[in-house]
Amino acid sequence: MKTVVRYLINASALLFCFQTSTAQQFVHPGLLQSREDLARIKNGVAMRIEPIFTGYNELKENRQSQFDYKMQGPMEMVGRNPTVGQGVYDADANAAYQNAIMWTITADQRYAEKAKQIVDAWASTLKSITGRDAVLMAGLGPFKMVNAAEILRYTNSNWTPVKIKQAEKHFKEVIYPVIKDFAPFANGNWDSAALKTMMAIAVFCNDRPMFERAIVYYQYGEGNGSLPNYIINEEGQCQESGRDQSHTQLGIAHLADCAEIAWQQGLNLYGILNDRLLRGFEYTAKYNLGEDVPYLPAMDRTGKYLHTQIATEGRGKLRAVYEEVFNHYVHRANKTATFTQKAAEKVRPEPQGTPGADHVGFGTLLYSCSPQTIDPYAKAKPCTPSGLTAVPENGSIQLTWVPVRGTIFYQVKRAVNRKGKFKIISARVTNAQFQDKNVAPGRKYVYTVSAVNNKGKSTDAYPAAVTAGLPAGWSVTDLDPKSKKGQARSLESGFTVEGNGLGFTGNEEQATYIHHKLVPYQTLAIHYQPQLTSQFTGFGISFRQSAKEKGTGVNLLIYPEVSQQLEAPKWVVTCTARLHPGDSLTQVGATLDIKEPVISFNRMTGGCWLKLVQEQNQVNAFYSADGKDWQLIGTVARNLSLTEAGIIVFSGLEAVSTTVRFDQVRLE
């Protein structure tokens, strides 16, 4: 057997990839394997280079890697909890991806035909993914299906344009709707599974807005699965470290797959937050190799999961997830990954990622590479920057984006609206961040960024729009000054509110309140955009005497009723009023149980509307699932002194805040 040697990058192939990405916005193939990766793997097998060749034997001998594999499906509907065809779909997804890899290694058309047969059959047949765990179902097996499709599409497999379009339609219309709002109600491995599959669909379908949504969520998402919410501190502790070690390894593996896709698109997600992903892998590997690690009990973002000590369940049972991260940080980035390396060596050669289609596996074959000293992306024009976010902060706008591989500096541009002309406001920014101090309060701005190196300048990043602070007339107040301070950010037509407090009970008001002056006969209507984070969240709208606690007012609120069923609360909408300052709140009208399509498996997964209307002698409170059919919840005599209209948000817990988004706010 031969030892690992330095691989040569085919410069013309790399240049072709970049030229293609300029026209199509993405590098193809560009999910877990690039064109260069596939060539490296093929060469390693042909030359029997270790450990690639041993990894290849692991793949080749797997029963789902055979071109005579008997397809288990397809089915029109699959589901998880209750289970409907989950094992059938996952087995076929494994076979599709593994046959696609075998095709690129062997050039045996029979493998390509098997992979195409599976993808085509499911794309033409599957109509729905169901069950309480549908998001997880759609985030696991379909990831392998999309990866198989990406490889087939860009490796001359004779896959017809009609079938490719069919696959695109299937991924966007059947898979994507299930994962489009992620899974902020669950443990983080759900969120990160949805994330990586969304990124994969976006690349395959050349959908830049979808890709940007996933990239931004990876960094700043409200749920447990975003990078900072899953790997919760610098030590590398994970949100599920206190649950069990199997799910913890799964969660970080999903995040690693996201980072690998981004890397193929010329973006360095691996490096953000001071290599936070590596810290999570090092912490988890160290503990599962039998060593002690620090542990800090921490409530998760849902408010449901608090583990007082690190879990011993599954300890020492290393999953096939370490080669990808070891090879990136040690061989690509020239960094130390002591425990990740030990874990990779202990598992090597990595087998299939089981159970089902939980993760890819086969990392010894797929990711083994020799050390690199120069990023090959420095030899070509930079890829398009991604993940641009603009956040108002202390009278300025703070911009951040994902670092672009091979970039020397960035140019930052600004316009006054999406159709306006962009002007350069900083011509040479060396880090992937910029603070724009030249902004006017309440004014909207749109930003973009381009990357520059010695080979040229990239196309502009997907624009980010922001308002410098809140729109004129709007303010944020915490109704209980003792509560943790909340905040609000302006969207183009609404707000994102980070709220705190236990809510409205009897004589108490603990909530974040974003408010505006109210004049007679005005109406306030809001649309809730799913999903929220704390599963104890309450939100709604209010007409009040003032922002002071316990003033007169009318409130229309949605919240989960107290229940012994932590995972299955009943969500209701109710109207309350305080008729005299200092009085207890009084319910007005009946409590309405919220039903489908707003509620799915006891979760607020659908959007809905709330509206308060001032009429001549009364205030009417309405609820609507669609903004068309309105249901009267309560009526209050209009003899109160009401001078403010606003939005109420509370987390329902002391330990955590909640994030709620309202994409439509109408005060008119």
Side-chain angles (χ1 to χ4, degrees):
M1 298 292 181
K2 299 184 180 179
T3 57
V4 175
V5 297
R6 187 178 306 280
Y7 298 104
L8 298 177
I9 299 296
N10 186 319
S12 62
L14 183 65
L15 182 59
F16 173 78
C17 277
F18 279 96
Q19 290 172 338
T20 302
S21 73
T22 300
Q24 299 182 341
Q25 296 186 312
F26 291 101
V27 176
H28 294 294
L31 296 183
L32 293 183
Q33 283 80 43
S34 67
R35 195 179 305 276
E36 293 69 45
D37 290 329
L38 295 173
R40 169 181 52 77
I41 294 166
K42 182 180 179 71
N43 180 65
V45 172
M47 297 182 66
R48 294 179 172 249
I49 296 171
E50 290 295 356
I52 293 176
F53 189 71
T54 300
Y56 169 67
N57 286 332
E58 188 74 31
L59 172 71
K60 182 180 69 173
E61 293 167 7
N62 188 279
R63 64 183 180 86
Q64 292 167 342
S65 301
Q66 312 307 314
F67 56 70
D68 60 356
Y69 166 83
K70 185 177 180 180
M71 186 166 53
Q72 305 297 298
M75 301 170 64
E76 288 193 358
M77 184 266 284
V78 295
R80 179 166 174 153
N81 191 13
T83 298
V84 181
Q86 178 186 341
V88 172
Y89 184 94
D90 286 353
D92 284 353
N94 288 340
Y97 176 69
Q98 290 166 214
N99 271 270
I101 292 292
M102 288 295 295
W103 145 245
T104 65
I105 295 172
T106 66
D108 187 333
Q109 185 68 28
R110 290 175 294 181
Y111 290 109
E113 294 304 316
K114 177 56 64 176
K116 288 188 293 182
Q117 178 197 24
I118 296 170
V119 175
D120 290 346
W122 281 97
S124 64
T125 305
L126 183 62
K127 300 297 186 292
S128 63
I129 299 177
T130 63
R132 185 175 182 84
D133 298 358
V135 175
L136 193 57
M137 173 89 192
L140 296 176
F143 181 70
K144 292 189 176 183
M145 284 285 194
V146 183
N147 270 270
E150 176 80 358
I151 291 170
L152 293 169
R153 186 175 188 174
Y154 295 101
T155 55
N156 300 315
S157 70
N158 297 321
W159 199 20
T160 67
V162 171
K163 296 298 186 182
I164 291 171
K165 288 296 181 184
Q166 175 181 266
E168 283 188 341
K169 186 174 188 293
H170 167 72
F171 293 142
K172 293 188 78 169
E173 296 182 7
V174 177
I175 308 300
Y176 176 70
V178 183
I179 61 173
K180 67 180 178 63
D181 294 318
F182 308 101
F185 49 78
N187 280 297
N189 76 85
W190 288 44
D191 237 0
S192 54
L195 251 175
K196 72 176 189 178
T197 300
M198 186 182 297
M199 287 181 68
I201 293 172
V203 172
F204 180 74
C205 296
N206 292 294
D207 190 322
R208 176 60 64 175
M210 185 191 298
F211 185 78
E212 293 298 323
R213 189 159 180 263
I215 287 284
V216 170
Y217 195 92
Y218 182 97
Q219 301 173 88
Y220 304 107
E222 299 90 355
N224 282 325
S226 65
L227 181 67
N229 288 343
Y230 198 76
I231 304 174
I232 65 173
N233 56 32
E234 289 289 317
E235 285 71 32
Q237 179 180 326
C238 299
Q239 181 261 316
E240 296 185 270
S241 293
R243 180 189 182 192
D244 63 62
Q245 297 309 307
S246 176
H247 284 99
T248 301
Q249 292 176 84
L250 183 61
I252 56 176
H254 293 333
L255 291 173
D257 285 343
C258 293
E260 186 64 20
I261 294 172
W263 186 259
Q264 306 298 357
Q265 298 304 320
L267 306 167
N268 187 11
L269 268 187
Y270 279 110
I272 66 171
L273 294 181
N274 193 24
D275 295 329
R276 180 70 68 89
L277 181 63
L278 175 60
R279 294 170 186 268
F281 268 85
E282 284 289 278
Y283 179 98
T284 303
K286 183 177 181 179
Y287 181 68
N288 281 280
L289 288 167
E291 300 201 28
D292 293 333
V293 293
Y295 184 80
L296 177 68
M299 179 65 77
D300 81 312
R301 288 289 289 158
T302 71
K304 297 187 295 185
Y305 310 122
L306 173 62
H307 305 290
T308 58
Q309 59 188 13
I310 193 167
T312 58
E313 182 180 345
R315 187 180 187 185
K317 296 179 180 178
L318 295 170
R319 301 188 75 161
V321 301
Y322 292 95
E323 292 276 29
E324 179 180 31
V325 170
F326 157 65
N327 277 282
H328 173 78
Y329 284 105
V330 175
H331 290 159
R332 286 178 181 161
N334 298 309
K335 296 184 178 183
T336 300
T338 303
F339 296 101
T340 304
Q341 180 171 350
K342 288 181 179 180
E345 291 169 347
K346 188 171 183 178
V347 176
R348 190 174 295 158
E350 273 190 6
Q352 184 186 60
T354 56
D358 267 15
H359 51 96
V360 174
F362 301 116
T364 306
L365 168 68
L366 299 176
Y367 302 111
S368 292
C369 62
S370 54
Q372 298 177 2
T373 56
I374 299 176
D375 187 341
Y377 272 59
K379 300 177 182 179
K381 188 170 68 173
C383 289
T384 305
S386 183
L388 176 62
T389 60
V391 178
E393 187 176 284
N394 298 324
S396 65
I397 302 295
Q398 184 67 43
L399 304 177
T400 59
W401 56 93
V402 180
V404 179
R405 296 171 58 189
T407 295
I408 298 175
F409 63 89
Y410 303 91
Q411 291 184 344
V412 181
K413 306 169 189 178
R414 189 179 77 182
V416 294
N417 57 60
R418 290 191 181 275
K419 295 182 179 180
K421 183 178 180 180
F422 282 99
K423 296 181 180 180
I424 294 176
I425 59 173
S426 184
R428 194 178 183 90
V429 177
T430 55
N431 296 316
Q433 59 183 13
F434 177 75
Q435 185 179 27
D436 185 7
K437 298 180 180 180
N438 185 25
V439 297
R443 186 170 181 179
K444 291 185 178 180
Y445 299 95
V446 182
Y447 296 89
T448 189
V449 176
S450 58
V452 183
N453 67 10
N454 292 330
K455 299 297 182 180
K457 183 170 67 173
S458 74
T459 53
D460 288 344
Y462 193 76
V466 66
T467 299
L470 298 178
W474 288 91
S475 303
V476 179
T477 301
D478 293 294
L479 294 179
D480 181 0
K482 299 186 294 294
S483 295
K484 183 179 177 182
K485 186 175 178 61
Q487 58 182 321
R489 294 175 182 169
S490 177
L491 304 175
E492 291 197 55
S493 301
F495 300 100
T496 295
V497 182
E498 187 80 8
N500 295 281
L502 297 178
F504 287 23
T505 55
N507 206 30
E508 298 297 321
E509 293 182 342
Q510 295 183 21
T512 299
Y513 176 48
I514 175 170
H515 52 95
H516 191 281
K517 181 181 178 180
L518 177 69
V519 299
Y521 303 107
Q522 272 189 316
T523 293
L524 174 62
I526 63 170
H527 179 256
Y528 156 71
Q529 181 185 26
Q531 295 186 37
L532 42 77
T533 52
S534 165
Q535 299 304 292
F536 301 87
T537 293
F539 65 87
I541 51 179
S542 181
F543 287 166
R544 301 172 64 86
Q545 181 182 23
S546 73
K548 294 181 180 179
E549 186 183 10
K550 302 177 185 178
T552 59
V554 181
N555 310 298
L556 179 61
L557 299 175
I558 289 175
Y559 57 88
E561 285 192 332
V562 177
S563 169
Q564 298 300 315
Q565 299 295 321
L566 186 63
E567 298 288 352
K570 181 172 72 171
W571 292 84
V572 299
V573 56
T574 186
C575 179
T576 63
R578 178 176 284 113
L579 303 180
H580 303 284
D583 283 358
S584 294
L585 289 168
T586 302
Q587 182 170 334
V588 180
T591 297
L592 174 69
D593 293 347
I594 304 176
K595 306 292 186 181
E596 291 185 344
V598 179
I599 300 297
S600 175
F601 295 101
N602 303 97
R603 301 165 182 147
M604 282 282 297
T605 55
C608 62
W609 289 84
L610 296 175
K611 181 168 66 174
L612 286 176
V613 180
Q614 293 184 95
E615 297 184 356
Q616 186 170 3
N617 298 312
Q618 60 193 28
V619 175
N620 291 323
F622 296 92
Y623 164 84
S624 175
D626 58 9
K628 298 176 182 178
D629 297 323
W630 293 90
Q631 187 166 352
L632 180 65
I633 304 300
T635 297
V636 180
R638 191 172 167 268
N639 56 1
L640 307 176
S641 176
L642 303 175
T643 62
E644 288 185 352
I647 301 169
I648 300 288
V649 174
F650 53 88
S651 65
L653 296 168
E654 293 182 350
V656 297
S657 62
T658 190
T659 304
V660 187
R661 186 172 292 106
F662 307 99
D663 60 350
Q664 296 289 330
V665 176
R666 302 171 183 171
L667 180 60
E668 52 195 18

